[in-house]
Amino acid sequence: MIVTLRGAGLTVGGVALLATGFTYGYPELAVLGATAVIAQLHAFAHAALRPRLSVTRSVDPDRVARGEGSTVTLTVRNTGRFGAATLVAHDKCGRAGQEGATVPVPLLRLRPGRDTDVSYPVPTDRRGVVDVGPLQVTRRDPLGLVSVSRSHGDTARIWVYPKSHLIQAVPAGISRSLDGRLDRVPHGAITFDTLREYVIGDELRHVHWRTSAKVGELMVREHLDTSLPQLVVLLDDRAVSWADRDAAGSASFESACEAAASIVAAATREDLPVTLHLVSGPAAGGGRIRGAARGLLDLLAEAEPAPGGEELLVTATNRLRQHRPGDTLIYLTGTAGLADLALVSGLKGPFPSVAVGVLGPRLAAEPQPAGVLLLRAEDGEDFAAVWDGVTRW
């Protein structure tokens, strides 16, 4: 509960008039002072009454690319039976983890049993996660002496994805695709993966008879198709790798996120498995289901430059070396991360194909990594053009 400047002045003046009237025998001044104090007490009682509101919120859509439109619609209903609610409302709308701006919501004189719908656009000019809500409702007395703010309704979250650029080509895997989609690689094979129990419909030629004799039930061989390329995108989210980073962010890091989103979009379009790893640790993806791209793009929307140095990249490369979630690695970093490329070049053994994408303004002298494909680009659109210009992975 906040006493407005008008209310504070009225209270001070009322007390002064009461004191003067009683001290010097002026009943008129005492009456004026008492009226002012009573008005302030009435304002406190009025503001203390909590309005009965029902607030529902919808976001359409809740996942958009940077620059696309998203709208929040609020439905506010006065569920009270008596008295209209005179309200001033603001909806919180800002980036996750930060104090965001508020959007005014006109709710003045909301009658009992009535509702009102209010819509407003969400700012999507920057990649990231936008939190909206709860609705902050401010109730004031008729004289504007006291105001009380309360939260109503739930919250919602909007993921603003980085802009993706069209990539025509995708790298081929280490063996031929059995469905004929990739034909630029040597003859492929089906690789044994694991054993499982026999189910009706399995081919008897896949039964592993020796194991079946030991366990007393039919066991069949589960095979894995290794012919399709499995892309692994490693995004360098260390703050030290982006030389242009300031309080407003890093344009080069945003370009790297656009490059990663372009790769994810191309892999999803070709129905290829792709995973996304951040150097700081989080990862997403790994499947060939088109809906899995949502998790990858969500991670890109949430990514922010994190504190840490070379030790983070050492941990990330060791993790990829041990688990090797794919056969083609694409590492995206900034110009300030060129000094650590030797760690990524060391993954040339576990990964048959390694590419390094360096985003940002070109420098006078830049080291050339040995044994890996260098994709040098200034922004996300330039990266897509350089990617399509690669003739051999």
Side-chain angles (χ1 to χ4, degrees), residues 13-33:
V15 172
L17 289 174
L18 273 174
T20 302
F22 280 109
T23 301
Y24 297 102
Y26 291 101
E28 295 84 357
L29 295 180
V31 170
L32 288 176

Side-chain angles (χ1 to χ4, degrees), residues 233-237 253 276-283 299-300 302-304 316 319:
V233 180
L234 178 61
L235 176 61
D236 189 357
D237 62 339
F253 182 73
L276 172 66
H277 294 256
L278 303 184
V279 169
S280 60
L299 183 58
L300 281 177
E302 298 165 3
E304 293 293 341
R319 183 170 59 248

Side-chain angles (χ1 to χ4, degrees), residues 324 345-352 354:
R324 201 176 76 83
S345 299
L347 294 174
K348 181 61 177 177
F351 289 86
V354 177

Side-chain angles (χ1 to χ4, degrees), residues 12 29 35 38 40 66 85 112 114 163 166 186 244 251 259 261-262 270 273 275 281 313 323 338-339 343 357 369 376:
V12 172
L29 295 180
T35 303
I38 292 173
Q40 187 65 42
R66 181 171 61 86
R114 300 292 183 88
K163 182 183 295 184
L166 181 61
D244 61 344
S262 302
E270 297 295 331
T275 59
L313 186 57
H323 299 287
L338 287 170
L343 292 172
R376 187 64 178 92

Side-chain angles (χ1 to χ4, degrees), residues 3-363:
V3 179
T4 64
L5 185 61
R6 180 188 301 175
L10 184 66
T11 301
V12 172
V15 172
L17 289 174
L18 273 174
T20 302
F22 280 109
T23 301
Y24 297 102
Y26 291 101
E28 295 84 357
L29 295 180
V31 170
L32 288 176
T35 303
V37 172
I38 292 173
Q40 187 65 42
L41 294 176
H42 179 270
F44 279 117
H46 184 275
L49 296 175
R50 188 182 185 95
R52 300 180 60 184
L53 299 178
S54 172
V55 180
T56 57
R57 179 190 310 276
S58 63
V59 180
D60 183 33
D62 61 349
R63 286 169 170 82
V64 296
R66 181 171 61 86
E68 294 182 353
S70 178
T71 303
V72 174
T73 301
L74 289 170
T75 301
V76 184
R77 182 177 181 82
N78 183 1
T79 59
R81 299 180 60 184
F82 305 100
T86 304
L87 308 170
V88 177
H90 292 82
D91 202 25
K92 290 185 177 180
C93 180
R95 291 170 64 88
Q98 300 179 4
E99 285 294 332
T102 59
V103 178
V105 179
L107 297 177
L108 293 177
R109 205 65 181 170
L110 190 59
R111 298 184 179 278
R114 300 292 183 88
D115 56 33
T116 182
D117 293 334
V118 180
S119 299
Y120 64 87
V122 177
T124 60
D125 55 328
R126 293 183 58 189
R127 176 197 59 85
V129 180
V130 179
D131 286 335
V132 292
L135 184 68
Q136 298 290 325
V137 176
T138 302
R139 181 178 175 86
R140 293 181 178 180
D141 65 286
L143 297 179
L145 305 178
V146 177
S147 66
V148 180
S149 295
R150 297 184 177 92
S151 298
H152 294 267
D154 55 358
T155 61
R157 174 164 284 190
I158 298 99
W159 284 264
V160 181
Y161 295 155
K163 182 183 295 184
S164 63
H165 304 278
L166 181 61
I167 288 179
Q168 299 288 353
V170 292
I174 58 177
S175 57
R176 184 181 299 275
S177 171
L178 299 183
D179 57 12
R181 290 184 298 144
L182 300 174
D183 55 4
R184 294 167 293 174
V185 287
H187 191 275
I190 293 291
T191 303
F192 169 75
D193 183 41
T194 186
L195 290 172
R196 60 172 175 81
E197 296 181 3
Y198 174 86
V199 295
I200 298 177
D202 287 336
E203 297 185 24
L204 291 179
R205 63 190 180 92
H206 290 160
V207 174
H208 196 272
W209 297 106
R210 182 176 299 178
T211 303
S212 300
K214 290 181 179 180
V215 301
E217 58 183 28
L218 289 178
M219 301 294 292
V220 297
R221 290 184 292 264
E222 186 81 16
H223 294 88
L224 180 67
D225 181 3
T226 62
S227 61
L228 293 176
Q230 301 180 33
L231 306 182
V232 180
V233 180
L234 178 61
L235 176 61
D236 189 357
D237 62 339
R238 299 174 300 161
V240 296
S241 297
W242 307 97
D244 61 344
R245 182 173 178 268
D246 54 22
S250 168
S252 298
F253 182 73
E254 296 302 319
S255 298
C257 291
E258 291 182 6
S262 302
I263 297 172
V264 169
T268 303
R269 186 174 61 251
E270 297 295 331
D271 196 24
L272 300 178
V274 57
T275 59
L276 172 66
H277 294 256
L278 303 184
V279 169
S280 60
R288 294 172 57 187
I289 304 175
R290 291 185 179 271
R294 170 178 287 191
L296 297 167
L297 295 176
D298 284 356
L299 183 58
L300 281 177
E302 298 165 3
E304 293 293 341
E310 184 180 356
E311 68 282 355
L312 285 180
L313 186 57
V314 171
T315 302
T317 54
N318 288 339
R319 183 170 59 248
L320 291 177
R321 183 177 290 106
Q322 293 172 3
H323 299 287
R324 201 176 76 83
D327 57 27
T328 301
L329 173 67
I330 301 100
Y331 175 59
L332 301 174
T333 187
T335 54
L338 287 170
D340 299 330
L341 290 186
L343 292 172
V344 180
S345 299
L347 294 174
K348 181 61 177 177
F351 289 86
S353 180
V354 177
V356 175
V358 180
L359 283 299
R362 298 183 183 276
L363 305 178

